Amino acid sequence: MTDTLETTARMPALYIGHGAPPLLDDPVWSGELRTWAAGLPRPRAILAVSAHWEAAPLSLSATAAGTPLVYDFGGFPERYYRWEYATPDAGALAGLVASVMPDTEPVHQHRSRGLDHGAWVPLSIMYPEADIPILQLSLPTHDQGRLLDLGRRLQPLRDEGVLIVGSGFLTHGLPFLREFRIAAAPPGWSVDFDLWAAEALAAGDLDTLADFRSAPGMPYAHPTVEHLSPLFVTLGAATDPAAP
């Protein structure tokens, strides 16, 4: 990676359900992510906004090559705490992110914080060679309007070959789940919220999506909001929120 990123085809903006580390071993989930990544233009860099890094002021993860991962979970087999995903230097990407932010919102640069599982679990499947520079940008707020504005500021990075990834989960009612098998039937509140969100997303209806607290399936679908918030960064970065 040089001091600048070469221009390439415009990259999309994605919102993905990142899942817990055991999903790395689920052939369906992994297969879908791998196929999806193979159908995209190859990114020159990746900027991820994960549900698992809520921090203000706006912050970037460490740019150094091979920065160790963050194992921000508990109760899983030991091998997930030994997972490695050593990505290249991302200094050029950090410079690009800083360049699109206003003077009133400087970006704090962490020297040691690595990628958390909201980034490295899905990206390990999508780009297993770990040969693409990757940074995380923190969630500085859960205000949907401010997150949409943040996404709009990031939108020009897509023309520089940067894949923008909002990483959360469309429903995240873990306290209300009774079965954790991958093949388990989804609970009604999850289905109801999914259907509501699919309709609003298909219409590009940002006002309805921002009013998610009134949606069917709430508050069970999101007893806390951090897994839905990255969606609004993605929608802000989208060329057309009504388009896939």
Side-chain angles (χ1 to χ4, degrees):
M1 181 108 178
T2 60
D3 290 338
T4 58
L5 291 167
E6 300 175 22
T7 56
T8 185
R10 179 170 239 218
M11 296 301 300
L14 308 181
Y15 173 70
I16 58 176
H18 58 248
L23 279 177
L24 291 163
D25 300 320
D26 173 47
V28 175
W29 182 83
S30 296
E32 289 177 348
L33 271 185
R34 194 174 293 112
T35 299
W36 196 12
L40 299 174
R42 179 172 170 81
R44 300 217 175 246
I46 300 171
L47 182 66
V49 181
S50 163
H52 294 283
W53 192 17
E54 303 167 81
L58 198 63
S59 302
L60 279 172
S61 59
T63 61
T67 298
L69 302 176
V70 176
Y71 304 100
D72 53 336
F73 44 81
F76 295 115
E78 178 64 24
R79 68 189 193 84
Y80 298 123
Y81 301 90
R82 300 181 184 276
W83 196 274
E84 294 185 1
Y85 192 61
T87 53
D89 180 272
L93 176 57
L96 274 179
V97 174
S99 74
V100 298
M101 293 299 157
D103 293 339
T104 55
E105 192 163 11
V107 181
H108 175 69
Q109 181 66 68
H110 281 261
R111 295 186 179 275
S112 60
R113 191 193 193 280
L115 305 177
D116 64 45
H117 81 272
W120 64 258
V121 167
L123 294 177
S124 292
I125 296 297
M126 297 173 74
Y127 302 103
E129 296 84 4
D131 56 355
I132 298 173
I134 301 172
L135 286 178
Q136 271 190 246
L137 187 66
S138 69
L139 273 173
T141 180
H142 293 297
D143 179 271
Q144 291 82 43
R146 288 179 60 194
L147 293 173
L148 287 165
D149 287 341
L150 174 60
R152 291 181 185 114
R153 291 192 196 114
L154 297 174
Q155 189 180 127
L157 273 60
R158 296 172 50 205
D159 292 320
E160 302 294 330
V162 179
L163 177 65
I164 297 172
V165 178
S167 177
F169 225 88
L170 197 57
T171 68
H172 199 253
L174 294 185
F176 309 109
L177 289 179
R178 297 295 175 263
E179 248 198 298
F180 289 85
R181 293 182 304 108
I182 290 171
W189 48 261
S190 184
V191 173
D192 290 345
F193 191 92
D194 272 349
L195 293 173
W196 168 87
E199 183 176 347
L201 286 166
D205 189 343
L206 301 184
D207 290 337
T208 292
L209 289 165
D211 190 33
F212 68 89
R213 289 178 177 84
S214 301
M218 288 294 289
Y220 305 102
H222 288 285
T224 56
V225 302
E226 75 285 342
H227 277 72
L228 191 63
S229 289
L231 171 65
F232 295 96
V233 179
T234 297
L235 289 169
T239 307
D240 176 7

